[in-house]
Amino acid sequence: MKRNEPTAESVWKEYRRGVDYNNRIGLYDQVRTNENFFLGRQWEGLNVSSLDPLIFNVLRRVVNLFISMIVSDDIAVTAQPFRGDENERTQMALDRALASVIERTGMKSKNRYMLRNACVDGDSCFYLRFDPDRESGQRVQGDICVDLIESTDIFFGNPAVDDVQRQPYLILSMRRPVGEVRREAVRRGMSEQDAESIGPDSGEEPRFTEIQTEDDNMVTVLLRMERVEDGIAFLKTTQTQVIMPEIVMPYRRYPVSYMSWERVKNCYHGSSPLTEAIPNQIAINKLYSMYVQCIKHVAFPKIIYDMTRFPNGYTSDVGKAIGMRGNPSEAIITAFQAPDVSAQVMALIQQMIEDTMELMGASDAALGNVKPDNTSAIVTVQQATIAPLELVKMEFFRFVEDTVRSCVDLMRVHYGSRIVRITDDDGAEHDIRFDFGTLDDIALELNVEVGSAAYWAETMQTTTNDNLLERGIITDPVLYVENIPDSQIRGKSRLLRALRRQKELGEQNLPLQEETKEGEA
């Protein structure tokens, strides 16, 4: 059956259908509320005149703790297995190329902001694309780019399924300057007269933030991806114009990675841990504000006097005469001390803060707010507290693996033949020319290893190696240096070559020494 090619009007209808779905589940209002509470705008929209609005941002500290705990381990990526010894160089070349892409795209730093979005908004997304004009450090131009996409800017063709690769189509929404969009349209073949018809459409964009204004010079651009027989079809449109005609790229998967903090059944949008804790945060702020306001009113004593005896009022100025009626010795002036505020209020506030943080997974032990009297007990409590977060960490690892698979898919299609530096068995580094197009014929399985590249893991490996050397289990200096991580020794390959030459010279001189001993005997 012949496929009907989508038009600008049909893509816009699909986009509006996705916006309506997000409105029905209250996504935009919830994201706006969660962002405000995370950033500290927790009294926004309320006209409070009876008390000073105070903010004790419990939620931000919990979110920062979650992110730091998940990304505390660095991520090392290896592509395996390659069956057969002849493919060993292919594996080393691909490992080095993946490490280079992760470094050049700043993927590790973007992972932190991605996790921040997932924790606050419920979801986050990476879109991977190949930029043919980007510097690659080689004669061949072009490299992979990673763009962070907000959860409110991606629309699934089937919103009841949260698996990206099972979607009939995906739509990414972008707000771009009108002039920039017009220039791109002309560059892709549109006439200048038709490009001038592209104008701002501020009223069509759902409001995620109040920063946007009606007269901004921005237009909504939609990038549609659909799986077809020959790969993935890409189409870029506005509401009425096709900016980029449909192009079919021989990709095997959508170049999109998607992560939900807490999955929701029959919905591709996840749930944020902040959503259920916002009422607690509101109660804490109100109680604290009322407590401080009450203290301001009753903490200081007030002077009370009889107005019938002081017709001109009472003054506390030093040395100033005070006129009164009647006998001065019978003047009624006293100080009034209001009763103290109940201690239960502050106890309730502290208990609410502790319970909120602990239920979210941030206990005093996890935050380090304990006295180090018993180290073993502290570690045990920390591990028990972190345990529920392991599910989110596993989801993050799955997200990273999807991203790496998409990187390999883009390399296979776009990289062609490039120079890659590898390390041979002798520890020497040299450049080889590797044709990434050969990945079409290789059954590739990717495994994402986490923690092996972290600083603490490398330090532990070095310490263990030293202990083995001291106990005599390791006697070969070459083996000892080989087991030390590369980052711990500068110039490791040169040191290994020198040790190997020294070892070879020692083995050659050994027969001469034995002959000399026999002659002396």
Side-chain angles (χ1 to χ4, degrees), residues 166-362:
R166 292 171 55 193
Q167 294 301 317
Y169 65 86
L170 295 172
I171 294 179
L172 300 182
S173 171
M174 297 164 280
R175 296 289 291 171
R176 296 174 56 188
V178 172
E180 179 183 309
V181 177
R182 289 174 179 172
R183 289 191 294 271
E184 180 182 355
V186 172
R187 189 172 65 251
R188 295 187 180 276
M190 181 183 292
S191 65
E192 294 186 3
Q193 183 177 359
D194 292 338
E196 289 298 324
S197 64
I198 300 175
D201 59 354
S202 303
E204 297 292 340
E205 183 73 7
R207 291 311 177 90
F208 318 131
T209 173
E210 300 300 330
I211 297 176
Q212 295 178 357
T213 59
E214 293 293 340
D215 58 349
D216 61 359
N217 194 32
M218 307 288 283
V219 61
T220 300
V221 178
L222 305 179
L223 177 62
R224 186 183 190 272
M225 293 170 271
E226 181 181 0
R227 190 181 299 278
V228 295
E229 183 178 356
D230 299 329
I232 304 295
F234 292 83
L235 177 68
K236 189 179 294 186
T237 72
T238 62
Q239 183 177 1
T240 58
Q241 299 283 350
V242 175
I243 304 301
M244 180 186 72
E246 188 172 77
I247 301 175
V248 178
M249 301 300 298
Y251 297 156
R252 294 174 179 171
R253 53 189 291 120
Y254 288 117
V256 172
S257 305
Y258 194 79
M259 174 183 172
S260 297
W261 190 270
E262 190 71 34
R263 292 189 174 184
V264 177
K265 281 188 176 182
N266 301 322
C267 180
Y268 75 97
H269 286 297
S271 177
S272 166
L274 269 65
T275 302
E276 61 183 11
I278 284 177
N280 297 32
Q281 179 69 69
I282 293 174
I284 292 170
N285 289 344
K286 285 183 176 179
L287 281 174
Y288 243 124
S289 299
M290 290 187 291
Y291 180 80
V292 172
Q293 192 74 7
C294 184
I295 291 294
K296 288 167 61 177
H297 287 163
V298 304
F300 303 98
K302 292 180 171 54
I303 296 177
I304 301 175
Y305 62 91
D306 188 351
M307 293 181 63
T308 61
R309 301 196 181 195
F310 295 91
N312 298 324
Y314 175 80
T315 178
S316 58
D317 293 344
V318 178
K320 186 175 181 180
I322 302 174
M324 64 164 294
R325 294 177 181 175
N327 188 355
S329 61
E330 297 178 358
I332 301 177
I333 301 175
T334 186
F336 173 76
Q337 180 70 44
D340 294 335
V341 182
S342 174
Q344 292 180 346
V345 179
M346 181 54 68
L348 176 62
I349 293 174
Q350 294 296 334
Q351 191 64 41
M352 288 183 64
I353 294 176
E354 293 176 6
D355 291 347
T356 300
M357 299 181 71
E358 188 163 351
L359 289 173
M360 292 182 70

Side-chain angles (χ1 to χ4, degrees), residues 13 60 76 104 136 143 170 209 249 261 315 497 510:
K13 287 181 180 179
R60 181 189 296 172
R104 289 198 305 270
S136 63
D143 208 348
L170 295 172
T209 173
M249 301 300 298
W261 190 270
T315 178
R497 287 196 297 269
L510 185 60

Side-chain angles (χ1 to χ4, degrees), residues 322-456:
I322 302 174
M324 64 164 294
R325 294 177 181 175
N327 188 355
S329 61
E330 297 178 358
I332 301 177
I333 301 175
T334 186
F336 173 76
Q337 180 70 44
D340 294 335
V341 182
S342 174
Q344 292 180 346
V345 179
M346 181 54 68
L348 176 62
I349 293 174
Q350 294 296 334
Q351 191 64 41
M352 288 183 64
I353 294 176
E354 293 176 6
D355 291 347
T356 300
M357 299 181 71
E358 188 163 351
L359 289 173
M360 292 182 70
S363 65
D364 284 338
L367 292 168
N369 298 332
V370 292
K371 294 181 179 180
D373 297 332
N374 189 336
T375 306
S376 301
I378 294 173
V379 172
T380 303
V381 174
Q382 284 181 333
Q383 293 176 348
T385 305
I386 297 172
L389 201 61
E390 288 295 324
L391 298 176
V392 182
K393 183 177 285 191
M394 292 171 64
E395 182 68 12
F396 172 61
F397 297 163
R398 193 271 314 161
F399 172 88
V400 173
E401 184 174 353
D402 287 348
T403 304
V404 171
R405 289 181 184 275
S406 296
C407 285
V408 175
D409 199 19
L410 268 64
M411 289 178 186
R412 176 183 62 85
V413 175
H414 297 287
Y415 265 29
S417 180
R418 299 199 176 197
I419 300 296
V420 180
R421 176 164 294 185
I422 65 172
T423 305
D424 58 19
D425 295 336
D426 296 332
E429 293 186 348
H430 56 89
D431 296 336
I432 64 169
R433 181 168 291 276
F434 179 72
D435 184 8
F436 286 88
T438 59
L439 296 177
D440 274 335
D441 305 325
I442 297 176
L444 195 64
E445 179 183 351
L446 295 181
N447 178 34
V448 179
E449 295 181 357
V450 179
S452 59
Y455 172 78
W456 61 265

